[in-house]
Amino acid sequence: MARSRNIKPGFFSNEYLAELDFATRLLFIGLWTEADREGRLEDRPRRLKMALFPADNVDIDRMLDDLDHLGFIKRYAVGDYKAIQVINWTKHQNPHVKEAKSVIPEMPGLEASRGEHQESPVQAPDSPSSFPADSLSLDSGFLIPDSLNPSPAPVDSAELFARFWKLYPRKVGKDKAEKAWAKLKLTADLHETIVTALAKHRQLSGWTKDNGQFIPHAATWLNGKRWEDEIQVPVDNVHRLPVRQSGEPDFNDTTWANGLRGRQ
């Protein structure tokens, strides 16, 4: 009986799987829908062809061999019974706990392969998977995260704290501030957000009066995520160009120089 299964973007970026032809890759997805909750199914190429490729001229037996060769499945036999195990099944799928238990014999040697450092390719009956259902990549048993975006570039947290501390106007409790800083999941973007907000806070009246005695300690400011506050810089603190007094000449108007020429 066919079942609904998960497929995620990592499937399409797997370089090993890309070595196989298009039909074989499609077969691999189809095997998931035919497999039971433990990732097993009968090794019956003719039946699989009728279930998955009824209108196509494909060699299912060869395609299964190719998937076996690359380690995506394992074709095995228990006596006269031929079966297929999808490798690392629980890393690919989260079968519903009410799904019927497998009636297909377990792959020989599976119990021996379950050790402290090697995970089983199947899921224990009536227990949810300890792994999130995900799809294929080149690492960690073909597991890949949902996002294919590159990880943020690493930042030097100590160097960025030194910049922050230099900008912070109240130099009190540096050790506590460093501990608060270390708790942040710091990125270059977050650092930019923090120092931009700090520049605005420095212009608040509460920070500028009475020699800054009302400025919170840096640790308090960081722990409170005060950079997320919505603040408006007071108009009086906005830098403005000097206004020309009524008695001063307008140097953009050259008529003021006429008197000088007359005196010359």
Side-chain angles (χ1 to χ4, degrees), residues 22-240:
F22 183 83
T24 304
R25 283 177 275 162
L26 187 58
L27 171 65
F28 188 35
I29 298 173
L31 294 181
W32 304 349
T33 68
E34 295 297 315
D36 59 28
R37 63 171 297 169
E38 278 81 26
R40 303 176 201 146
L41 65 153
E42 291 184 90
D43 190 346
R44 295 173 59 184
R46 283 189 179 181
R47 194 196 68 80
L48 288 172
K49 183 182 183 306
M50 292 304 299
L52 303 174
F53 294 92
D56 301 286
N57 183 19
V58 292
D59 186 345
I60 297 292
D61 194 56
R62 177 193 60 79
M63 295 156 69
L64 291 173
D65 280 343
D66 289 343
L67 288 168
D68 185 301
H69 176 72
L70 289 179
F72 291 104
I73 66 171
K74 181 63 178 177
R75 305 180 79 177
Y76 66 97
V78 177
D80 294 331
Y81 195 97
K82 295 182 178 180
I84 296 170
Q85 173 71 62
V86 179
I87 302 302
N88 291 315
W89 173 252
T90 58
K91 291 184 178 181
H92 303 164
Q93 306 295 333
N94 278 335
H96 195 279
V97 293
K98 293 185 178 180
E99 194 170 310
K101 295 181 179 181
S102 178
V103 296
I104 297 175
E106 193 174 82
M107 187 169 64
L110 185 60
E111 290 294 337
S113 70
R114 292 172 178 162
E116 181 181 355
H117 302 293
Q118 186 171 0
E119 298 143 359
S120 165
V122 301
Q123 177 176 330
D126 299 320
S127 66
S129 170
S130 58
F131 301 96
D134 227 314
S135 34
L136 309 170
S137 83
L138 303 182
D139 59 349
S140 184
F142 303 117
L143 185 65
I144 195 171
D146 285 343
S147 174
L148 300 180
N149 296 327
S151 300
V155 296
D156 188 336
S157 181
E159 179 185 354
L160 295 182
F161 174 77
R163 296 182 189 177
F164 167 81
W165 186 251
K166 185 176 181 180
L167 294 171
Y168 203 83
R170 191 173 187 184
K171 303 294 191 289
V172 176
K174 184 177 181 180
D175 56 339
K176 293 182 179 180
E178 286 181 306
K179 292 179 181 179
W181 186 268
K183 296 177 184 178
L184 301 177
K185 294 181 179 179
L186 195 64
T187 64
D189 288 342
L190 177 57
H191 177 261
E192 183 66 23
T193 300
I194 290 173
V195 297
T196 299
L198 179 58
K200 294 180 179 180
H201 279 251
R202 287 176 60 121
Q203 299 180 64
L204 296 175
S205 58
W207 286 44
T208 57
K209 66 181 181 181
D210 298 328
N211 295 320
Q213 65 174 326
F214 298 107
I215 299 174
H217 289 193
T220 302
W221 195 83
L222 290 170
N223 285 326
K225 295 185 177 181
R226 300 299 303 274
W227 64 84
E228 295 180 352
D229 292 355
E230 294 184 6
I231 62 173
Q232 292 183 344
V233 177
V235 175
D236 292 342
N237 288 350
V238 177
H239 178 69
R240 296 183 177 183

